[in-house]
Amino acid sequence: MALATVRRILISETVDPCCKQILQENGIDVTEKQNLSKDELITEVKGYEGLIVRSATKVTADVIDAAENLKIIGRAGTGVDNVDVEAATKKGIIVMNTPSGNTTSAAELTCGMIVSLSRQIPQAVMSMKAGNWDRKKFMGAELYGKTLGIVGLGRIGKEVAIRMQSFGMKTVGYDPIIPPEVTATFGVEQMSLERLWPLCDYITVHTPLMPSTTGLLNDESFARCRKGVKVINCARGGIIDEAALLRALESGQCGGAGLDVFIDEPPKDWSLVNHPGVVSCPHLGANTKEAQIRCGRDIATQIVEMVQGKSLIGAVNAQVLTAAIAPESRPWIKLGEALGSVAKACAGQVKSQVQITTLGQSLKNAAGYLSAAVVVGLLKDGSKNAVNLVNALPLAKEAGVTVCCVSFKSFLNKIASHQSDAAPILAQSACEVEICANGVSHKVVGSVQGDVPVLLELNGGLFRQPVPLAGNLIFFKALANPQLVSSVAGVLAAAGLQMESFSTSAAIAGEQWCSVGVSSLLGDLNTLKVHVKEALQLFL
């Protein structure tokens, strides 16, 4: 399933030529314009469905608001610190990076920093270039037997661990997401930060920059470390508190630092860079020929495969879509949107509480995209932003819609209990949407039959034949009465409408729900309401 149509892409920074080539070979028009100012970018981006950047281009909310047609922002590298992901998400724009493009390069630079700190290699080089031969000044220390603490054990952290183990280092680490049994497979013992700080001779950080990691190494954590600990940051500026690091270096609590990243780049304050115990680089983590080729190739390939509906890799704000891209998901997404529209027509308003229940083995990974799809149906035509699977859940929150998704294991049994009055319903998987507004609850249940979304149940009424959810539909509840069909047909005929299909539910307490497919919707639904208890209509 294609998640977006992308015909034109703007590349705003220098990216390996293979990126442009791959995109063009797959029918996408590419324009390269580097060094655009913010105002120039705002003007230029309006005509494109895609934007590819590295780290210099700042894709702010202003840029995103101006991007009328933008569907995808691709970052040729790891991290998306230079993209306002929240603003992009609200506008339904997928933000994508290349999670493994610079893994090896960043890991190797980190290892180089560790070796440089242990033997003071850069300082010795500069001394030699100044004409000095001073062996005693540059006494180093072996890495063998030392303990390396790795904070963040994802791709890069793992590769650093494997490489430094070859030096005979003991590797310990911390990661709030990756299970300890997984990191144990590549030789890293996990522990809390409180345990980790005092154990380490070297500490390297490999986390994204977020509120929970900003200033992770600060005055308090440095005080818990071994005296003379050496720290490395090749991840993101700000993970190590720069002022606290300078204080630790000056006091001797920190014995050296390897820094490839800074809070401000280039730094506004060069005190750290100029400190004799600091080895620094101008953000070179991904600056290898191999990484640039890999990142350019990966971002182009990922965009092409997303457009072609083959896969979704590297999306940082659309994880729910990963399962949605499979071809078999498309009819279920259509079903979710249709059920959301029916639920909205029943409730008569958007602000509500919505519970989505999934059932069946085929829907075990569908909760995320089905929830989003239902919300699309609830919100479309009522939101200032175009609603899609990317922004549906954030926009629901703004609109006052509370959404939860659960698995209701006894659902098919409940359907089966009604089947004495109705024709058999061959549904191995189903989706139930219950919406509650102003204390009144409505429930719709649907499934997919032969790739066609169908309605099985409406507010307790189980249809004898599943109702295809497409076209102009009128639903009404009335007393089971042989004269009902003729009365409804008369109303439709008087309005010049043709009846194209008709289905009824099993009667409960003498009442039943009916579904009528019509050539167009009634101009005035009240003409029908005089004959029935409840009525609603919609186009799907």
Side-chain angles (χ1 to χ4, degrees):
M1 172 186 165
L3 298 177
T5 300
V6 179
R7 299 182 182 89
R8 301 186 67 207
I9 286 181
L10 172 66
I11 300 178
S12 65
E13 295 182 57
T14 302
V15 179
D16 190 86
C18 71
C19 178
K20 181 178 181 180
Q21 181 181 346
I22 292 169
L23 293 169
Q24 289 178 330
E25 287 174 350
N26 287 275
I28 298 175
D29 183 51
V30 180
T31 300
E32 294 180 287
K33 289 191 177 182
Q34 285 84 42
N35 303 314
L36 295 172
S37 68
K38 179 180 177 180
D39 290 339
E40 288 171 336
L41 181 59
I42 286 174
T43 300
E44 183 68 29
V45 77
K46 294 180 180 179
Y48 299 89
E49 290 90 19
L51 173 64
I52 293 177
V53 303
R54 286 182 62 192
S55 58
T57 302
K58 307 303 179 187
V59 190
T60 63
D62 292 339
V63 173
I64 290 166
D65 286 342
E68 299 168 354
N69 301 310
L70 205 60
K71 303 293 190 299
I72 177 80
I73 298 170
R75 159 85 159 92
T78 57
V80 286
D81 301 349
N82 54 319
V83 179
D84 190 328
V85 177
E86 182 177 356
T89 302
K90 285 184 178 179
K91 202 163 181 182
I93 300 169
I94 296 173
V95 180
M96 177 186 289
N97 67 359
T98 53
S100 59
N102 65 359
T103 297
T104 300
S105 295
E108 289 180 353
L109 180 64
T110 301
C111 297
M113 288 285 196
I114 295 171
V115 174
S116 294
L117 287 172
S118 72
R119 300 304 296 268
Q120 302 183 65
I121 295 173
Q123 295 91 330
V125 169
M126 295 307 296
S127 176
M128 284 282 288
K129 288 182 181 295
N132 301 316
W133 183 268
D134 195 346
R135 297 177 65 198
K136 293 182 179 179
K137 182 178 179 181
F138 301 110
M139 180 61 66
E142 290 183 351
L143 295 175
Y144 183 83
K146 301 300 191 298
T147 299
L148 172 64
I150 305 171
V151 181
L153 295 164
R155 292 179 178 87
I156 297 173
K158 174 184 177 180
E159 294 303 320
V160 170
I162 292 170
R163 284 158 176 75
M164 297 318 298
Q165 287 161 12
S166 68
F167 281 80
M169 296 193 83
K170 178 183 178 182
T171 50
V172 298
Y174 169 78
D175 194 295
I177 298 173
I178 300 176
E181 55 269 24
V182 173
T183 63
T185 64
F186 53 86
V188 178
E189 177 189 356
Q190 275 211 56
M191 58 187 62
S192 67
L193 290 174
E194 290 71 21
R195 281 188 59 204
L196 182 143
W197 300 135
L199 290 179
C200 300
D201 301 291
Y202 294 80
I203 296 172
T204 179
V205 294
H206 299 283
T207 70
L209 182 66
M210 57 182 69
S212 61
T213 62
T214 300
L216 191 63
L217 267 165
N218 51 37
D219 288 314
E220 182 180 350
S221 46
F222 273 120
R224 294 181 179 180
C225 292
R226 284 183 179 178
K227 187 172 182 63
V229 66
K230 295 177 176 64
V231 298
I232 300 92
N233 185 4
C234 293
R236 288 289 180 265
I239 298 172
I240 298 177
D241 183 322
E242 292 180 356
L245 173 57
L246 185 59
R247 287 189 289 270
L249 286 164
E250 290 174 342
S251 70
Q253 181 63 20
C254 178
L259 303 175
D260 185 47
V261 290
F262 299 86
I263 293 173
D264 296 307
E265 295 184 354
K268 294 177 181 178
D269 183 349
W270 289 77
S271 301
L272 269 177
V273 175
N274 292 329
H275 192 281
V278 172
V279 177
S280 58
C281 295
H283 204 150
L284 300 181
N287 253 37
T288 64
K289 294 177 182 179
E290 295 85 355
Q292 291 311 301
I293 292 171
R294 205 178 291 123
C295 288
R297 180 197 65 209
D298 287 357
I299 196 64
T301 302
Q302 288 170 203
I303 290 173
V304 167
E305 292 190 348
M306 180 203 72
V307 171
Q308 294 177 347
K310 293 180 178 178
S311 66
L312 181 64
I313 298 171
V316 300
N317 67 333
Q319 290 87 346
V320 298
L321 300 187
T322 303
I325 203 162
E328 58 268 23
S329 301
R330 185 174 181 83
W332 288 98
I333 291 171
K334 288 184 176 180
L335 173 69
E337 292 183 12
L339 292 179
S341 296
V342 175
K344 178 184 176 181
C346 289
Q349 68 175 67
V350 171
K351 190 173 183 180
S352 57
Q353 292 178 316
V354 180
Q355 178 171 293
I356 298 133
T357 303
T358 63
L359 179 78
Q361 185 66 18
S362 67
L363 299 182
K364 65 179 181 179
N365 296 319
Y369 71 75
L370 265 178
S371 297
V374 169
V375 172
V376 170
L378 282 170
L379 297 185
K380 65 182 178 182
D381 303 325
S383 173
K384 63 180 181 180
N385 291 312
V387 186
N388 62 23
L389 297 179
V390 177
N391 63 4
L393 295 178
L395 290 180
K397 189 175 181 180
E398 284 188 359
V401 179
T402 303
V403 181
C404 70
C405 190
V406 298
S407 179
F408 187 17
K409 298 299 184 182
S410 62
F411 183 64
L412 280 186
N413 292 334
K414 182 172 63 173
I415 288 180
S417 70
H418 290 77
Q419 290 186 4
S420 58
D421 299 329
I425 294 178
L426 304 176
Q428 298 300 315
S429 299
C431 177
E432 172 186 294
V433 177
E434 186 167 3
I435 183 170
C436 183
N438 295 325
V440 179
S441 180
H442 300 273
K443 182 176 65 178
V444 293
V445 182
S447 188
V448 170
Q449 295 187 358
D451 288 341
V452 177
V454 295
L455 184 68
L456 304 179
E457 182 181 339
L458 175 60
N459 285 337
L462 188 67
F463 285 96
R464 299 177 186 277
Q465 293 295 330
V467 178
L469 289 169
N472 299 296
L473 296 172
I474 298 175
F475 296 97
F476 60 87
K477 182 181 181 181
L479 291 171
N481 185 335
Q483 303 301 317
L484 179 62
V485 175
S486 59
S487 298
V488 172
V491 171
L492 298 178
L497 307 185
Q498 293 181 348
M499 185 184 298
E500 298 176 347
S501 65
F502 186 83
S503 182
T504 63
S505 74
I508 300 177
E511 296 179 338
Q512 62 184 170
W513 276 95
C514 299
S515 168
V516 184
V518 290
S519 54
S520 61
L521 298 179
L522 282 167
D524 182 6
L525 193 59
N526 288 321
T527 58
L528 177 63
K529 287 183 176 180
V530 298
H531 300 280
V532 301
K533 289 195 170 185
E534 298 178 43
L536 58 105
Q537 63 178 353
L538 70 160
F539 171 76
L540 296 171

